[in-house]
Amino acid sequence: MLHIYNTLSRRKEAFNPVEPGAVRIYVCGMTVYDFCHLGHARMLVGFDVVQRWLRASGWRVNFVRNITDIDDKIIRRAVQSGRRLHEVTDFFIEAMRADERALGVQPPDAEPRATEYVGQMLDIIGRLEARGLAYRGEDGDVNFPVRKFPGYGKLSGKSLDDLRAGERVAVAAGKHDPLDFVLWKAAKADEPAESRWPSPYGPGRPGWHIECSAMSHALLGMPLDIHGGGPDLKFPHHENEIAQSEGAFGGPLARTWMHCGPMMVDAEKMSKSLGNFQRIRDTLAGGTPAEDAAGYEANPREAEMLRFFIVRNHYRSIQNYAPDNLLDAQHALDRLYQALANVPPAEIDIDWDQPAAAAFKAAMDDDFNTSGAVAVLFDLAGQANRERSAQASGLLRALGGVLGLLQGDPGTYLKSPTRYLGGTVGPGLEAAAIDTLVAERAQAKADRDFARADRIRADLREQGVELEDKAGGLTQWRRV
């Protein structure tokens, strides 16, 4: 039985959705004002694995991940660049999707944009106002009085006196309390006309937190089976969502709350605000992607390495970005692909009662323990190599597919260049040049010029290419 660590209760719990056999998941997605970084990659891949495992386990999944396309940072980006708001958001949505494709992240079942649900947000604000949980400030903003909502702070585990306004919570003169947060922002004269909507409170735009309450309720209802997001959303965003949704509709917003762990750089969380972030596209593209292009050509070997780098760590763990860790991930993934190259996999359907598959399932049912599941993959790779077992190789490939891994052609994968092997710098020799040298070596061996054959092998090894002679005179090569 699946058990999930619930951030709200701070313990693992047996997973029991509202409707037997069906799961409704809402995950807070991107604010599309810039390119995605590796911290975003962790969230995207982490919840992609969650929904993949639920589907593989036979659940009917409705997975919603929103897009924030109205926000102070988006407005600033548009004004600074001289573009319309929708031009900024459309561009960075397409850039985000390019990252998702590169990482093998499957699209959600629904991907609502905040600007499409302003009417629903105003309806919630009206409900809150009728219940005494919204007030209009002197500055025209509509705020939520957190001290009037019993239980505020239950997700973050802090008392009201301990809490402080979060990064995106402006402490304005119109608030009754610094912890009160904005539901509706009054329009400012210097802001673009397209950033304001008519409302009973005057022209303006929604606060950041209200959008997810509106979209999740409209598309999935309450309570959600799973509500998830990145580690920095626990407070204030998710705490405020709880207050809004439960204050407006009653009952719990979600049964299970999930938060992935942070991506760290030198003991600090990777974030744009700290300036220590590494963009996804720069990690996966052979060159430097153009700043004015949303799409880019990802290196498939490097892209799968990054997915593997994320997946082999438990989603709640602290993960450290460092060049050596990427090198290690590339070598480890290469070993799995080498097993598939050594022993061509049989086409199989997963039998979950088979011992290796059962061990994989037990790990995944234990709060999506991908590190334990990846350990099973390495056991199968070892078995395939030792026993020359096409069944073990086939199960390796099939279970890897559950995690979004090992679905490429092994020969093509191992011949692809990568910057993350610690040997040659850059792409190295072109494949055609390597094939020519392999053919020259074969001819040298046929001519019994073994010294030349050895020199070619040694020269290729120095340039990051390993040769493997097979039965029948066939020679395979791979980049190492």
Side-chain angles (χ1 to χ4, degrees):
M1 183 177 189
L2 175 63
H3 286 73
I4 303 175
Y5 182 86
N6 189 346
T7 307
L8 184 63
S9 66
R10 296 165 186 79
R11 64 175 183 267
K12 288 183 189 178
E13 299 174 343
F15 180 60
N16 292 301
V18 174
E19 179 186 348
V23 185
R24 294 167 305 124
I25 309 175
Y26 184 90
V27 172
C28 294
M30 300 301 161
T31 301
V32 285
Y33 72 97
D34 204 347
F35 296 110
C36 296
H37 60 63
L38 295 187
H40 298 136
R42 189 170 197 200
M43 183 278 290
L44 290 168
V45 172
F47 285 101
D48 181 60
V49 169
V50 167
Q51 65 89 19
R52 282 173 182 261
W53 178 244
L54 291 170
R55 295 182 201 274
S57 300
W59 301 91
R60 299 189 310 277
V61 177
N62 189 357
F63 178 41
V64 177
R65 191 185 66 231
N66 78 293
I67 293 173
T68 297
D69 62 345
I70 181 65
D71 174 86
D72 291 346
K73 294 178 181 177
I74 294 171
I75 293 172
R76 284 198 296 271
R77 185 86 183 216
V79 171
Q80 291 168 0
S81 63
R83 290 180 288 175
R84 301 284 301 277
L85 289 181
H86 75 88
E87 293 174 332
V88 171
T89 57
D90 287 351
F91 176 86
F92 287 114
I93 287 170
E94 195 52 44
M96 175 190 71
R97 289 176 176 158
D99 290 332
E100 291 170 358
R101 289 191 296 270
L103 291 169
V105 172
Q106 295 175 336
D109 297 298
E111 195 173 41
R113 299 189 186 193
T115 53
E116 300 168 343
Y117 288 81
V118 175
Q120 290 86 338
M121 298 178 209
L122 288 169
D123 175 71
I124 293 176
I125 295 171
R127 289 172 178 266
L128 292 172
E129 189 175 32
R131 291 164 172 77
L133 291 174
Y135 66 89
R136 306 186 203 191
E138 295 177 359
D139 55 3
D141 291 351
V142 181
N143 303 309
F144 187 102
V146 299
R147 294 186 187 275
K148 291 187 178 181
F149 179 74
Y152 188 85
K154 60 186 176 182
L155 184 67
S156 57
K158 302 176 183 177
S159 70
L160 282 172
D161 292 334
D162 292 336
L163 293 171
R164 294 291 182 268
E167 179 183 350
R168 298 195 188 196
V169 181
V171 182
K175 292 183 178 181
H176 295 170
D177 187 294
L179 283 177
D180 294 349
F181 59 88
V182 178
L183 299 167
W184 185 260
K185 292 188 173 187
K188 296 179 175 61
D190 59 348
E191 293 177 337
E194 59 184 320
S195 69
R196 63 188 70 184
W197 284 259
S199 83
Y201 317 104
R205 67 178 186 275
W208 176 40
H209 313 294
I210 193 69
E211 66 179 63
C212 287
S213 289
M215 288 184 279
S216 66
H217 188 268
L219 293 171
L220 298 174
M222 286 174 57
L224 304 168
D225 296 309
I226 297 173
H227 194 324
D232 56 332
L233 297 185
K234 188 187 305 182
F235 179 83
H237 185 55
H238 286 163
E239 198 79 72
N240 292 350
E241 275 190 68
I242 290 174
Q244 293 163 162
S245 296
E246 297 183 4
F249 299 108
L253 170 55
R255 287 192 169 189
T256 300
W257 286 86
M258 295 179 65
H259 295 88
C260 62
M263 183 73 76
M264 309 294 284
V265 180
D266 295 329
E268 288 191 308
K269 183 175 73 70
M270 182 178 292
S271 71
K272 291 188 176 76
S273 61
L274 294 174
N276 64 351
F277 64 95
Q278 172 79 8
R279 302 189 309 187
I280 296 172
R281 58 180 44 219
D282 295 330
T283 309
L284 306 184
T288 302
E291 293 294 311
D292 60 352
Y296 63 96
E297 190 70 29
N299 179 312
R301 191 172 181 181
E302 295 177 353
E304 189 164 353
M305 175 279 295
L306 181 57
R307 184 180 178 97
F308 177 79
F309 168 70
I310 294 169
V311 167
R312 72 170 177 175
N313 287 268
H314 191 275
Y315 77 92
R316 286 193 289 112
S317 66
I318 296 174
Q319 191 165 15
N320 188 45
Y321 167 78
D324 286 349
N325 291 342
L326 297 184
L327 295 177
D328 182 67
Q330 187 75 80
H331 283 290
L333 181 61
D334 287 1
R335 291 199 299 274
L336 297 178
Y337 263 108
Q338 189 60 56
L340 296 177
N342 293 341
V343 185
E347 292 292 333
I348 66 167
D349 293 322
I350 299 173
D351 175 7
W352 293 108
D353 292 326
Q354 191 271 350
F360 183 98
K361 184 178 188 303
M364 293 299 291
D365 279 344
D366 181 17
D367 193 30
F368 308 99
N369 181 9
T370 53
S371 58
V374 167
V376 173
L377 300 185
F378 279 100
D379 289 343
L380 284 168
Q383 180 185 352
N385 284 325
R386 288 191 309 272
E387 301 175 7
R388 314 302 295 175
S389 170
Q391 290 296 312
S393 183
L395 185 57
L396 166 63
R397 183 180 178 88
L399 292 176
V402 175
L403 301 177
L405 299 168
L406 303 179
Q407 301 307 290
D409 174 70
T412 302
Y413 170 90
L414 292 167
K415 289 182 178 181
S416 300
T418 172
R419 295 167 291 171
Y420 301 105
L421 286 176
T424 58
V425 177
L429 289 175
E430 294 288 341
I434 297 171
D435 288 335
T436 298
L437 289 169
V438 170
E440 289 180 10
R441 177 174 176 269
Q443 185 60 52
K445 290 172 67 178
D447 296 340
R448 304 188 67 78
D449 188 352
F450 299 115
R452 173 164 171 70
D454 289 343
R455 283 197 304 273
I456 293 174
R457 176 192 282 273
D459 289 345
L460 285 171
R461 182 178 289 129
E462 286 182 1
Q463 297 185 72
V465 178
E466 190 66 50
L467 303 184
E468 185 175 0
D469 293 324
K470 298 286 189 179
L474 176 66
T475 297
Q476 293 181 345
W477 63 267
R478 59 191 173 93
R479 298 185 193 269
V480 297

